[in-house]
């Protein structure tokens, strides 16, 4: 961070005063904000029961059965990437109503007073590889740790004779990466120079959100590029910012 009186960067020198035309035609860019998997995570230092810890892979992991719902981690997360689970989706049907103190309310809003329904059909619709969390715990992205562990176990089973336990490059795909039709999400080993995520992080458009606060997030983004029609009004101003790192 430059000290007062020091020369500003090229981006700081750019005139960003919006014109009346730009204010009338404002554009919005959607930026997904999941857990940034910080190397120096502020959420880990405030948990009184050590429910959120740092793994050997560098992930900010969650032990859901240890969480007691103090929400200290959510208050200390600068990215607001943690959500408190107010409802019990595991044992209560959200589509029915129940009576509490003579009033009809949604079954989820009734909390412990709601009607519990535990049948085979509801159990089969849940992913058996993912722990179903109860109400009162913090939810967050864990980079599909169940897929990472499954890949490691499978690699040890296949390569038990050769002792080559390293998972092949880019062989693991997380759920959001697999479901994204545009291929906008890339996941991999940042310690492996051959992985696709390392090549994308080497791009000049790569940046980290709130990098100046020192959380050292492992998740990074690529600045958006707009191919603007040069005949469009205000095209020169938009093109001047296109592809710059923020």
């Amino acid at each position: 961070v430059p000290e007062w009186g020091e020369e500003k960067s090229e981006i700081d020198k750019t005139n960003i005063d919006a014109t009346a035309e730009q204010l009338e035609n404002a554009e919005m860019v959607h930026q997904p904000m999941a857990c940034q998997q910080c190397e120096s995570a502020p959420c880990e230092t405030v948990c009184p029961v050590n429910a959120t810890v740092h793994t050997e892979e560098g992930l900010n992991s969650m032990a859901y059965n240890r969480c007691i719902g103090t929400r200290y981690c959510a208050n200390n997360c600068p990215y607001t990437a943690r959500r408190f689970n107010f409802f019990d989706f595991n044992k209560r049907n959200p589509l029915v109503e129940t009576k509490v103190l003579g009033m009809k309310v949604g079954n989820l809003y009734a909390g412990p007073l709601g009607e519990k329904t535990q049948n085979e059909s509801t159990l089969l619709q849940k992913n058996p590889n993912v722990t179903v969390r109860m109400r009162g715990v913090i939810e967050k992205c864990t980079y599909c740790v169940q897929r990472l562990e499954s890949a490691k176990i499978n690699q040890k089973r296949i390569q038990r004779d050769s002792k080559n336990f390293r998972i092949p490059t880019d062989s693991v795909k997380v759920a959001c990466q697999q479901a994204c039709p545009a291929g906008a999400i890339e996941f991999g080993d940042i310690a492996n120079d051959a992985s696709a995520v390392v090549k994308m992080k080497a791009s000049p458009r790569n940046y980290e959100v709130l990098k100046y606060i020192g959380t050292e997030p492992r998740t990074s983004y690529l600045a958006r590029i707009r191919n603007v029609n040069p005949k469009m009004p205000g095209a020169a101003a938009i093109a001047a910012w296109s592809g710059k790192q923020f």
Side-chain angles (χ1 to χ4, degrees):
V1 178
E3 298 291 337
W4 290 106
E6 291 186 1
E7 186 178 357
K8 295 184 178 181
S9 63
E10 182 181 352
I11 295 180
D12 295 333
K13 294 178 183 178
T14 307
N15 183 15
I16 59 174
D17 294 334
T19 63
E21 181 182 358
Q22 291 174 338
L23 293 176
E24 292 178 359
N25 299 278
E27 296 185 12
M28 182 188 70
V29 177
H30 176 68
Q31 185 174 23
M33 189 59 60
C35 176
Q36 302 293 292
Q37 309 296 333
C38 303
E39 183 65 27
S40 180
C43 58
E44 296 175 354
T45 58
V46 295
C47 182
V49 293
N50 208 27
T52 173
V53 294
H54 222 66
T55 64
E56 296 178 354
E57 289 86 359
L59 299 181
N60 183 236
S61 182
M62 273 290 298
Y64 293 109
N65 56 351
R66 192 183 298 170
C67 177
I68 60 175
T70 60
R71 285 177 275 184
Y72 293 156
C73 57
N75 294 332
N76 216 38
C77 177
Y79 305 98
T80 62
R82 290 171 172 264
R83 295 292 182 267
F84 184 72
N85 190 0
F86 286 94
F87 302 126
D88 184 7
F89 294 98
N90 186 26
K91 294 184 179 180
R92 290 177 174 82
N93 187 356
L95 303 179
V96 300
E97 291 186 348
T98 184
K99 282 189 176 182
V100 177
L101 300 178
M103 298 182 298
K104 280 188 176 183
V105 295
N107 197 28
L108 291 181
Y109 289 92
L113 302 179
E115 298 179 7
K116 292 184 179 181
T117 55
Q118 191 81 8
N119 51 53
E120 187 178 358
S121 60
T122 56
L123 291 177
L124 291 176
Q125 71 181 3
K126 297 179 173 63
N127 189 344
N129 296 324
V130 181
T131 304
V132 180
R133 277 79 67 185
M134 302 290 289
R135 66 187 298 268
V137 301
I138 288 288
E139 303 275 359
K140 80 171 198 70
C141 168
T142 56
Y143 271 173
C144 293
V145 65
Q146 76 279 0
R147 297 194 177 194
L148 300 179
E149 295 299 323
S150 177
K152 290 192 294 184
I153 294 172
N154 188 49
Q155 182 70 8
K156 291 180 180 179
R157 180 180 60 84
I158 297 175
Q159 302 289 345
R160 63 175 63 185
D161 297 329
S162 63
K163 304 298 182 181
N164 183 19
F165 295 152
R166 190 174 185 87
I167 302 174
T169 305
D170 297 336
S171 61
V172 179
K173 290 185 178 295
V174 293
C176 58
Q177 177 187 6
Q178 186 178 6
C180 181
I185 301 174
E186 195 66 54
F187 177 83
D189 186 5
I190 60 176
N192 187 356
D193 295 335
S195 63
V197 69
V198 172
K199 298 176 182 177
M200 298 188 71
K201 281 181 173 291
S203 171
R205 296 190 294 119
N206 181 73
Y207 69 98
E208 299 171 357
V209 180
L210 299 180
K211 182 178 180 180
Y212 59 89
I213 63 177
T215 56
E216 301 180 12
R218 291 182 177 268
T219 301
S220 60
Y221 297 80
L222 294 180
R224 182 176 179 179
I225 294 180
R226 298 176 181 173
N227 296 323
V228 184
N229 187 346
K231 296 182 180 180
M232 186 179 67
I238 298 176
W241 283 97
S242 178
K244 287 195 174 181
Q245 181 176 344
F246 296 89

